[in-house]
């Protein structure tokens, strides 16, 4: 059995991860940590886990945590996974970070967008960006996996086939994303206050969101040239899910049917990517509770633009589900181990 620890088990991403790990046949949950709830059982904080997870939450003690686990998942606010990364490296264990600390290859870019000092730049070079559909071979041998952000997951998977095949103008990409409120975490804030989010729909982080450099980094690598994007996130009055509508100017005349075929070939054999038939469109409800990313491709012949729609559950393919998928890749397990379920509907 693989001994796993979850640091930040009482956040939305961490708790979803614990739910998945509890059903994973190759995993033993060894350590769960929380700042606020240390000393309580996990099911006292999350009643949906009663009878499923019987584990007392612990305060974080990094050397002890790392010595007791084969692999550690960090689901913490950015900046807090770095010291754990150092200890994991020292002791030859493995780390899957659900936050942003190891995603950006250029530490200066991290520091300027996150306004946080990076204290583990030596680890960044060896960290692998944990999008298995694009980086599976590197993830297999990796020590530190940087689990992608929720918005980047949907956006990158939506654009990858177009960029890898040089089919769009790399300066015309617009990513318009709508997220459920769980994307902002469990902590109380004005942003997620009931009366601020119910019957309300608002943009935020316009032209300044931290996921912009992450999306550009990965798309540039795929395209082999610098790619720039306009990315605008929105908060919608729902709990889970991200729907992204992506526009770009085609450089070749291709139909929706031809592009859909191309997407199907690109993602052939990918268990969690569903390329929908022409005329069928992704929705957040169709992916809620599953590790799927649903994609559709449409062409507007009037404007010469391609319109890609991408839907994920931010807590599954956008966080905990993708983290378990990465664990499976790292340990040579079938990629859907512990993830072999459809979504919930309605
Ligand atoms: N929510 C989402 O959809 C996604 C989140 N992520 C990323 O995952 C990470 C966690 O996000 P999320 O679960 O939403 O956040 P939450 O705010 O819901 O949870 C944060 C967790 O971190 C713990 N924590 C906070 N500060 C510290 C600290 N200083 N030391 C130790 N533990 C601490 C909290 O403990 P306590 O409960 O005791 O306060 C809690 O368990 C973030 O980096 C986020 O950006 C990535 C993709 C999607
Ligand atoms: C709705 C909402 O607030 N979403 C979060 C994205 C969560 C996430 O993936 O953030 P990390 O990159 O830090 O992991 C946000 O916009 O900050």
């Amino acid at each position: 059995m693989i001994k796993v620890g979850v640091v930040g088990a009482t956040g939305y991403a961490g708790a979803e991860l614990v739910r998945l790990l509890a059903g994973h046949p190759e995993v033993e949950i060894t350590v769960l940590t929380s700042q606020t709830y240390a000393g309580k059982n996990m099911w006292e904080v999350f009643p949906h886990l009663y009878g499923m997870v019987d584990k007392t939450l612990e305060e974080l003690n990094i050397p002890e945590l790392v010595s007791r686990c084969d692999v550690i998942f960090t689901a913490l606010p950015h900046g807090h996974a770095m010291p754990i990364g150092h200890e994991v490296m020292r002791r030859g264990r493995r780390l899957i970070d659900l936050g942003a600390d190891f995603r950006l290859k250029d530490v200066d870019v991290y520091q300027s967008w996150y306004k946080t000092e990076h204290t583990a730049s030596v680890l960044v070079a060896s960290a692998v960006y944990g999008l298995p559909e694009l980086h599976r071979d590197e993830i297999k041998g990796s020590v530190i996996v940087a689990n992608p952000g929720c918005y980047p997951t949907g956006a990158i998977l939506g654009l990858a086939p177009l960029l890898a095949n040089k089919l769009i103008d790399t300066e015309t990409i617009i990513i318009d994303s709508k997220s459920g409120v769980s994307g902002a975490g469990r902590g109380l804030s004005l942003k997620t206050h009931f009366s601020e989010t119910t019957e309300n729909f608002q943009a935020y982080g316009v032209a300044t969101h931290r996921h912009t450099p992450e999306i550009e980094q990965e798309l540039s690598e795929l395209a082999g040239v610098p790619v720039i994007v306009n990315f605008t996130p929105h908060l919608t009055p729902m709990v889970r899910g991200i729907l992204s509508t992506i526009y770009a100017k085609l450089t070749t005349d291709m139909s929706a049917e031809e592009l859909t075929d191309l997407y199907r070939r690109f993602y052939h054999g990918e268990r969690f990517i569903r390329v929908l038939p022409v005329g069928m469109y992704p929705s957040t409800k169709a992916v809620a509770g599953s590790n799927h990313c649903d994609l559709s491709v449409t062409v507007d012949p009037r404007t010469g633009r391609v319109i890609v729609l991408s839907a994920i559950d931010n807590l599954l393919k956008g966080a905990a589900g993708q983290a378990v998928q990465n664990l499976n890749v790292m340990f040579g397990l079938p990629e859907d181990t512990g993830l072999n379920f459809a979504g919930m509907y309605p």
Side-chain angles (χ1 to χ4, degrees), residues 8-14 33-37 60 75-78 80 98-100 103 148-150 182-187 314-315 318-319:
T10 44
Y12 280 157
T33 84
S34 166
Q35 279 202 120
T36 314
Y37 304 102
L60 176 60
L76 298 169
H78 66 266
H80 293 278
L98 279 73
R103 293 181 196 150
C150 46
S182 64
R186 191 167 187 248
N314 56 295
L315 292 177

Side-chain angles (χ1 to χ4, degrees), residues 181-227:
V181 181
S182 64
R186 191 167 187 248
L188 301 176
S189 72
L190 190 58
K191 182 183 172 189
T192 54
H193 190 295
F194 181 81
S195 45
E196 301 285 331
T197 53
T198 307
E199 295 173 35
N200 197 7
F201 182 22
Q202 57 191 317
Y204 68 100
V206 181
T208 58
H209 195 278
R210 291 160 173 171
H211 285 170
T212 308
E214 183 182 333
I215 295 169
E216 290 180 344
Q217 169 184 290
E218 291 303 303
L219 295 185
S220 300
E221 190 183 321
L222 268 163
V225 293
V227 173

Side-chain angles (χ1 to χ4, degrees), residues 13-218:
E16 187 69 340
L17 183 57
V18 174
R19 180 176 76 87
L20 297 179
L21 293 172
H24 193 295
E26 304 294 333
V27 155
E28 179 188 333
I29 298 175
T30 308
V31 183
L32 300 179
T33 84
S34 166
Q35 279 202 120
T36 314
Y37 304 102
K40 284 193 185 297
N41 201 299
M42 185 70 184
W43 55 256
E44 291 183 81
V45 187
F46 293 100
H48 69 295
L49 296 176
Y50 183 67
M52 308 294 294
V53 178
D54 184 16
K55 199 89 203 152
T56 302
L57 292 156
E58 302 177 31
E59 271 177 31
L60 176 60
N61 175 326
I62 297 176
E64 203 200 291
L65 161 82
V66 176
S67 71
R68 287 162 62 196
C69 300
D70 301 312
V71 56
I72 288 119
F73 294 90
T74 38
L76 298 169
H78 66 266
H80 293 278
M82 296 173 198
I84 300 173
H86 283 299
E87 189 68 11
V88 161
M89 201 55 119
R90 250 195 303 277
R91 290 188 187 245
R93 305 298 208 270
R94 298 172 104 178
L95 174 70
I96 301 172
D97 177 30
L98 279 73
D101 289 355
F102 301 103
R103 293 181 196 150
L104 294 171
K105 301 284 171 216
D106 185 335
V107 169
D108 292 337
V109 173
Y110 175 93
Q111 295 187 148
S112 103
W113 284 81
Y114 283 85
K115 313 279 180 251
T116 301
E117 192 194 347
H118 206 297
T119 56
S121 53
V122 66
L123 304 179
V124 170
S126 57
V128 174
Y129 192 75
L131 200 48
E133 289 77 10
L134 301 180
H135 297 291
R136 185 169 286 114
D137 289 343
E138 300 149 78
I139 294 167
K140 278 180 192 159
S142 62
V143 173
I144 297 179
V145 168
N147 218 55
C150 46
Y151 288 118
T153 294
I156 296 164
L157 290 172
L159 282 159
L162 295 172
L163 286 164
N165 288 287
K166 306 200 183 314
L167 295 175
I168 51 173
D169 180 337
T170 55
E171 293 187 356
T172 63
I173 299 170
I174 295 169
I175 303 163
D176 172 28
S177 298
K178 284 74 65 176
S179 173
V181 181
S182 64
R186 191 167 187 248
L188 301 176
S189 72
L190 190 58
K191 182 183 172 189
T192 54
H193 190 295
F194 181 81
S195 45
E196 301 285 331
T197 53
T198 307
E199 295 173 35
N200 197 7
F201 182 22
Q202 57 191 317
Y204 68 100
V206 181
T208 58
H209 195 278
R210 291 160 173 171
H211 285 170
T212 308
E214 183 182 333
I215 295 169
E216 290 180 344
Q217 169 184 290
E218 291 303 303

Side-chain angles (χ1 to χ4, degrees), residues 11-13 15-17 19-20 46 48 150 178-184 235-243 283-291 311-321 341-344:
Y12 280 157
E16 187 69 340
L17 183 57
R19 180 176 76 87
L20 297 179
F46 293 100
H48 69 295
C150 46
K178 284 74 65 176
S179 173
V181 181
S182 64
L235 203 55
T236 66
M238 61 182 183
V239 176
R240 282 177 189 243
I242 293 179
L243 181 73
S283 70
T284 54
K285 210 149 194 110
V287 294
S290 82
N291 198 44
I312 58 167
D313 182 327
N314 56 295
L315 292 177
L316 271 293
K317 186 61 176 161
F341 44 78
M344 318 173 288

